[in-house]
Amino acid sequence: GKLATVDQLGVMMDVSALSAVGLQPVADALDLTTQVPLDASPDVWQNVANTLGGVADVYGDDEKAAAPAKRYTISRLSPVFKRLGWENKPDDSSTTKQLRTRLIGQLSGLGDEAVLAEARRRFEASATDPKALPPVGETNAAWALYLRTWRPGKPKPDSWPALYQQAVAAVRAPVGRSE
């Protein structure tokens, strides 16, 4: 039969902990990530994202060495993100919302071109559509958008003056607070 979510997480965390201290091969933790079905619990996918995120980090700034790990991580996480989509749904659990935000940040950080292209499209659409960006107060979503749109090495300096003006206007706009 199928293990309960709590037991799936327990096995994954135990294997990761044993791997971290050298009592079990790291490959065992990675092998477990290959067994997680697309429709697994968001809690389980958070754990998979954490495990896979650590693999690419091992290579530091060596992009050539990290490339296979990044490709593999994108291949495992991208289908989950496609299933979740960009927008929160009314019946999404807080864990699903957190997973969505994490996947956007992680996939963009890994260079997933589809995620980066959509992030840029949404950002550029914000000039005429205020709903293209996360609402004020959605700090996690806003930070994830910033990271995926303006990742290091890909700045668009010519757009900063307009963005600065947008930020100033947003800060000066009344927010409906009483003084």
Side-chain angles (χ1 to χ4, degrees), residues 81 86 103-104 107-108 112-120 148:
F81 179 63
W86 281 82
L103 291 177
I104 290 169
L107 288 167
S108 63
D112 184 315
E113 290 303 323
V115 173
L116 290 167
E118 176 62 11
R120 285 188 198 102
R148 67 185 181 255

Side-chain angles (χ1 to χ4, degrees), residues 68-147:
K70 288 181 176 186
R71 281 192 304 272
Y72 176 73
T73 301
I74 290 170
S75 76
R76 287 297 291 148
L77 299 181
S78 185
V80 178
F81 179 63
K82 286 178 184 164
R83 187 175 64 81
L84 293 177
W86 281 82
E87 304 297 330
N88 288 333
K89 296 162 192 73
D91 60 337
D92 281 347
S93 67
S94 61
T95 307
T96 297
K97 291 175 184 177
Q98 290 169 352
L99 177 60
R100 179 180 291 111
T101 299
R102 179 191 182 127
L103 291 177
I104 290 169
Q106 191 165 352
L107 288 167
S108 63
L110 292 167
D112 184 315
E113 290 303 323
V115 173
L116 290 167
E118 176 62 11
R120 285 188 198 102
R121 185 200 67 75
R122 287 172 178 255
F123 190 78
E124 288 165 4
S126 71
T128 57
D129 177 10
K131 292 182 181 180
L133 294 178
V136 173
E138 297 267 343
T139 54
N140 286 340
W143 182 245
L145 176 68
Y146 171 79
L147 289 176

Side-chain angles (χ1 to χ4, degrees), residues 45-58:
W45 276 110
Q46 286 271 27
N47 191 283
V48 170
N50 187 48
T51 298
L52 294 177
V55 173
D57 292 343
V58 168

